[in-house]
Amino acid sequence: AQSVTQLGSHVSVSEGALVLLRCNYSSSVPPYLFWYVQYPNQGLQLLLKYTSAATLVKGINGFEAEFKKSETSFHLTKPSAHMSDAAEYFCAVSPSGGSNYKLTFGKGTLLTVNP
Amino acid sequence: SQTIHQWPATLVQPVGSPLSLECTVEGTSNPNLYWYRQAAGRGLQLLFYSVGIGQISSEVPQNLSASRPQDRQFILSSKKLLLSDSGFYLCAWSVTGQGNTIYFGEGSWLTVV
């Protein structure tokens, strides 16, 4: 069984400030981990994913996330927020291995960027 | 490259009317296909998934059904809509063995009135 907890349903930052969105997971087997972004009235777009290679994963739009097994975390960061980063962000987990194909999503974190 | 098309983009339907949302994937074969629903403040709920033609798994009991008549076509249906069926519906696909990554369509807004 697996689950995802996103701490903070709403995060507000100033333009140019650090973005930190928190995600903790629970998985009985080694996980794959994902971050998706959703802009208003659109589908979800993959930002980055961890699939047991490097623990620091770089994604699109300057985002990165670090897999920390000891903390069961996969927090998303960006050094300097841009207005265009305002969106909802979802963390997701699945068991590693090719035969399992379902993701479990967190409830999402809405990021607001203030000018 | 692979693409996913989902339609209609928006739909307003009266209570008790039928529903059909369609989704097709191009550029890949034998994909895993999914229907998710997103309601405000409740994240994404997996409704159905399919690993092949005619193979449908339901995650939650509900007023909806899904069908996969062709390899890359996935249909979400209802015979009689309820108010609680309103929401944002997302079709998605993945390919087994490619890191379990799921790719989403643009979504369909359903409002039941």
Side-chain angles (χ1 to χ4, degrees):
Chain A
Q2 56 218 339
S3 65
V4 172
T5 302
Q6 292 185 238
L7 301 176
S9 60
H10 188 191
V11 171
S12 182
V13 301
S14 298
E15 191 173 18
L18 171 71
V19 175
L20 172 60
L21 304 182
R22 300 178 186 274
C23 172
N24 288 90
Y25 71 92
S26 172
S27 179
S28 56
V29 298
Y32 288 164
L33 293 158
F34 307 80
W35 275 101
Y36 287 83
V37 60
Q38 184 180 33
Y39 298 101
N41 299 318
Q42 295 186 22
L44 278 73
Q45 179 183 4
L46 180 69
L47 265 181
L48 50 80
K49 62 181 179 182
Y50 166 78
T51 55
S52 71
T55 57
L56 182 63
V57 181
K58 295 186 183 298
I60 62 172
N61 301 338
F63 284 93
E64 63 181 35
E66 186 172 9
F67 172 68
K68 293 187 176 181
K69 182 178 179 181
S70 61
E71 299 177 8
T72 61
S73 68
F74 190 57
H75 301 332
L76 182 70
T77 60
K78 182 174 180 177
S80 177
H82 191 272
M83 297 295 290
S84 61
D85 296 326
E88 190 156 23
Y89 292 80
F90 293 91
C91 183
V93 63
S94 80
S96 58
S99 62
N100 196 307
Y101 35 76
K102 290 194 291 180
L103 299 189
T104 299
F105 285 86
K107 293 189 179 298
T109 298
L110 182 63
L111 175 66
T112 302
V113 181
N114 303 307
Chain B
S1 64
Q2 300 91 350
T3 57
I4 180 169
H5 303 285
Q6 183 180 344
W7 70 94
T10 59
L11 199 58
V12 179
Q13 292 285 95
V15 169
S17 65
L19 171 73
S20 179
L21 299 179
E22 296 192 30
C23 171
T24 59
V25 178
E26 297 177 358
T28 187
S29 59
N30 197 30
N32 304 311
L33 296 173
Y34 310 81
W35 280 110
Y36 284 84
R37 179 169 57 199
Q38 191 174 20
R42 296 177 61 183
L44 282 87
Q45 181 184 35
L46 178 61
L47 301 177
F48 301 95
Y49 68 92
S50 170
V51 299
I53 295 174
Q55 301 178 62
I56 310 294
S57 296
S58 174
E59 288 291 293
V60 292
Q62 58 207 321
N63 185 43
L64 302 169
S65 62
S67 62
R68 183 171 178 173
Q70 300 180 42
D71 181 45
R72 292 170 291 170
Q73 184 184 22
F74 207 25
I75 299 171
L76 183 69
S77 304
S78 174
K79 293 182 178 179
K80 290 185 178 182
L81 284 167
L82 306 173
L83 286 173
S84 58
D85 292 324
S86 294
F88 191 48
Y89 289 82
L90 291 157
C91 183
W93 67 273
S94 71
V95 175
T96 300
Q98 293 188 4
N100 297 354
T101 306
I102 290 181
Y103 300 94
F104 287 83
E106 288 300 306
S108 298
W109 273 109
L110 171 65
T111 303
V112 182
V113 296

